[in-house]
Amino acid sequence: VVHRGPGRPPAPLPGLRTMSGRPGDIETMHTLKVDNISFTSTSAALREAFARFGSLGDVYMPTDYATNQPRGFAFVRYYDKRDAEDAMDAMDGKVFDGREIRVQFALHKRPDKPTGGGGGGGMYGGGGAYGGGGGAYG
Protein backbone atom coordinates (compact mmCIF):
# COMPACT_ATOMS: atom_id res chain seq x y z
CA VAL A 1 0.00 0.00 0.00
CA VAL A 2 1.28 3.46 -0.90
CA HIS A 3 0.72 6.21 1.70
CA ARG A 4 -0.22 9.54 0.09
CA GLY A 5 -0.65 11.97 2.94
CA PRO A 6 -3.36 13.11 5.35
CA GLY A 7 -6.95 12.72 4.25
CA ARG A 8 -6.10 10.52 1.27
CA PRO A 9 -6.84 6.80 1.34
CA PRO A 10 -3.97 4.44 0.60
CA ALA A 11 -3.52 3.67 -3.09
CA PRO A 12 -3.25 0.17 -4.48
CA LEU A 13 0.26 -1.07 -4.99
CA PRO A 14 1.64 0.52 -8.15
CA GLY A 15 1.97 -1.61 -11.23
CA LEU A 16 -0.65 -4.24 -10.36
CA ARG A 17 -1.58 -5.96 -13.60
CA THR A 18 -3.89 -8.73 -14.73
CA MET A 19 -2.68 -11.95 -16.33
CA SER A 20 -3.04 -10.27 -19.76
CA GLY A 21 -0.45 -7.66 -18.75
CA ARG A 22 -3.03 -4.87 -18.61
CA PRO A 23 -3.54 -2.76 -15.48
CA GLY A 24 -6.30 -4.04 -13.24
CA ASP A 25 -9.71 -2.34 -12.96
CA ILE A 26 -9.13 0.56 -15.35
CA GLU A 27 -12.76 1.65 -14.94
CA THR A 28 -11.90 3.22 -11.60
CA MET A 29 -8.76 4.98 -12.84
CA HIS A 30 -8.53 8.61 -13.96
CA THR A 31 -6.94 9.19 -17.35
CA LEU A 32 -4.93 12.18 -18.51
CA LYS A 33 -4.16 12.78 -22.16
CA VAL A 34 -0.69 14.21 -22.73
CA ASP A 35 -0.33 15.99 -26.09
CA ASN A 36 2.68 17.29 -28.02
CA ILE A 37 5.19 14.82 -26.64
CA SER A 38 8.41 14.30 -28.53
CA PHE A 39 8.54 11.37 -30.92
CA THR A 40 11.68 10.28 -29.07
CA SER A 41 9.97 10.20 -25.65
CA THR A 42 9.43 6.85 -24.00
CA SER A 43 6.69 5.52 -21.75
CA ALA A 44 9.36 4.93 -19.07
CA ALA A 45 10.34 8.62 -19.16
CA LEU A 46 6.67 9.66 -18.94
CA ARG A 47 6.13 7.26 -16.06
CA GLU A 48 9.09 8.75 -14.22
CA ALA A 49 7.89 12.33 -14.80
CA PHE A 50 4.29 11.67 -13.74
CA ALA A 51 4.85 9.17 -10.89
CA ARG A 52 5.84 11.93 -8.47
CA PHE A 53 2.18 13.05 -8.29
CA GLY A 54 0.77 9.73 -7.12
CA SER A 55 0.31 6.06 -7.82
CA LEU A 56 0.17 5.36 -11.56
CA GLY A 57 -2.00 2.62 -12.96
CA ASP A 58 -0.78 2.75 -16.53
CA VAL A 59 1.11 4.79 -19.14
CA TYR A 60 0.15 4.17 -22.76
CA MET A 61 1.83 5.72 -25.81
CA PRO A 62 -0.02 4.85 -29.03
CA THR A 63 2.16 4.04 -32.01
CA ASP A 64 1.45 4.18 -35.72
CA TYR A 65 0.32 0.75 -36.90
CA ALA A 66 2.40 0.80 -40.09
CA THR A 67 5.64 2.35 -38.79
CA ASN A 68 5.47 1.50 -35.05
CA GLN A 69 6.60 5.10 -34.38
CA PRO A 70 5.05 7.13 -31.52
CA ARG A 71 2.12 9.34 -32.54
CA GLY A 72 3.02 12.32 -30.34
CA PHE A 73 0.59 11.82 -27.46
CA ALA A 74 0.08 9.48 -24.53
CA PHE A 75 -2.37 8.51 -21.81
CA VAL A 76 -1.43 8.43 -18.13
CA ARG A 77 -3.78 6.71 -15.65
CA TYR A 78 -3.91 7.40 -11.93
CA TYR A 79 -5.76 5.49 -9.23
CA ASP A 80 -6.79 8.70 -7.46
CA LYS A 81 -8.48 11.64 -9.15
CA ARG A 82 -6.67 14.16 -6.94
CA ASP A 83 -3.32 12.75 -8.04
CA ALA A 84 -4.38 13.17 -11.68
CA GLU A 85 -5.50 16.74 -10.98
CA ASP A 86 -2.18 17.53 -9.29
CA ALA A 87 -0.28 16.11 -12.26
CA MET A 88 -2.39 18.04 -14.75
CA ASP A 89 -1.95 21.32 -12.86
CA ALA A 90 1.80 20.85 -12.51
CA MET A 91 2.66 19.42 -15.94
CA ASP A 92 0.37 21.30 -18.35
CA GLY A 93 2.50 23.76 -20.29
CA LYS A 94 5.80 22.37 -19.00
CA VAL A 95 8.67 21.39 -21.28
CA PHE A 96 9.19 17.63 -21.43
CA ASP A 97 11.88 16.15 -23.70
CA GLY A 98 12.29 19.51 -25.41
CA ARG A 99 8.60 20.17 -26.15
CA GLU A 100 5.87 22.07 -24.33
CA ILE A 101 3.28 19.46 -23.44
CA ARG A 102 -0.45 19.88 -22.94
CA VAL A 103 -2.13 17.80 -20.24
CA GLN A 104 -5.88 17.42 -19.78
CA PHE A 105 -8.35 14.81 -18.62
CA ALA A 106 -9.13 12.37 -21.42
CA LEU A 107 -12.60 13.05 -22.76
CA HIS A 108 -13.59 9.41 -23.27
CA LYS A 109 -12.55 6.01 -22.09
CA ARG A 110 -10.47 3.68 -24.25
CA PRO A 111 -12.74 1.43 -26.32
CA ASP A 112 -12.85 -2.29 -25.50
CA LYS A 113 -12.18 -3.15 -29.12
CA PRO A 114 -10.08 -0.80 -31.26
CA THR A 115 -12.07 0.24 -34.29
CA GLY A 116 -9.33 1.58 -36.53
CA GLY A 117 -10.36 4.65 -38.39
CA GLY A 118 -9.37 7.11 -41.03
CA GLY A 119 -5.87 8.36 -41.66
CA GLY A 120 -3.63 5.77 -40.05
CA GLY A 121 -5.91 2.74 -40.40
CA GLY A 122 -5.53 -0.43 -38.37
CA MET A 123 -5.43 -0.55 -34.62
CA TYR A 124 -5.76 2.87 -32.99
CA GLY A 125 -5.10 4.54 -36.35
CA GLY A 126 -6.37 7.84 -37.61
CA GLY A 127 -8.93 10.20 -36.20
CA GLY A 128 -11.79 7.77 -35.70
CA ALA A 129 -10.29 5.64 -32.96
CA TYR A 130 -8.29 6.21 -29.79
CA GLY A 131 -6.78 9.69 -29.53
CA GLY A 132 -6.26 10.44 -33.20
CA GLY A 133 -7.25 14.07 -32.87
CA GLY A 134 -10.66 15.29 -33.85
CA GLY A 135 -12.24 11.91 -33.13
CA ALA A 136 -13.94 10.64 -30.04
CA TYR A 137 -10.72 10.32 -28.03
CA GLY A 138 -8.73 13.32 -29.26
Side-chain angles (χ1 to χ4, degrees):
V1 176
V2 176
H3 180 67
R4 294 182 301 186
R8 293 177 118 165
L13 289 174
L16 290 181
R17 297 196 172 259
T18 64
M19 293 295 284
S20 69
R22 290 188 169 180
D25 197 15
I26 61 173
E27 294 300 315
T28 62
M29 292 185 203
H30 305 277
T31 305
L32 297 177
K33 184 176 181 205
V34 183
D35 285 305
N36 200 38
I37 61 173
S38 168
F39 294 108
T40 60
S41 294
T42 64
S43 58
L46 275 172
R47 180 174 291 278
E48 185 178 327
F50 280 82
R52 64 187 173 126
F53 301 103
S55 184
L56 291 175
D58 188 38
V59 174
Y60 173 65
M61 289 181 63
T63 57
D64 182 87
Y65 182 72
T67 67
N68 204 32
Q69 296 298 309
R71 294 180 58 200
F73 62 93
F75 295 89
V76 177
R77 287 190 178 123
Y78 285 92
Y79 289 104
D80 187 277
K81 184 176 183 179
R82 287 175 285 187
D83 294 342
E85 290 168 342
D86 290 347
M88 182 178 67
D89 291 342
M91 296 296 286
D92 187 43
K94 296 291 187 232
V95 174
F96 176 78
D97 276 353
R99 298 183 76 170
E100 185 177 311
I101 58 172
R102 293 181 306 278
V103 182
Q104 62 186 5
F105 275 99
L107 298 178
H108 300 280
K109 296 182 186 279
R110 182 175 180 180
D112 290 332
K113 277 191 168 178
T115 58
M123 287 185 60
Y124 307 118
Y130 182 27
Y137 297 91

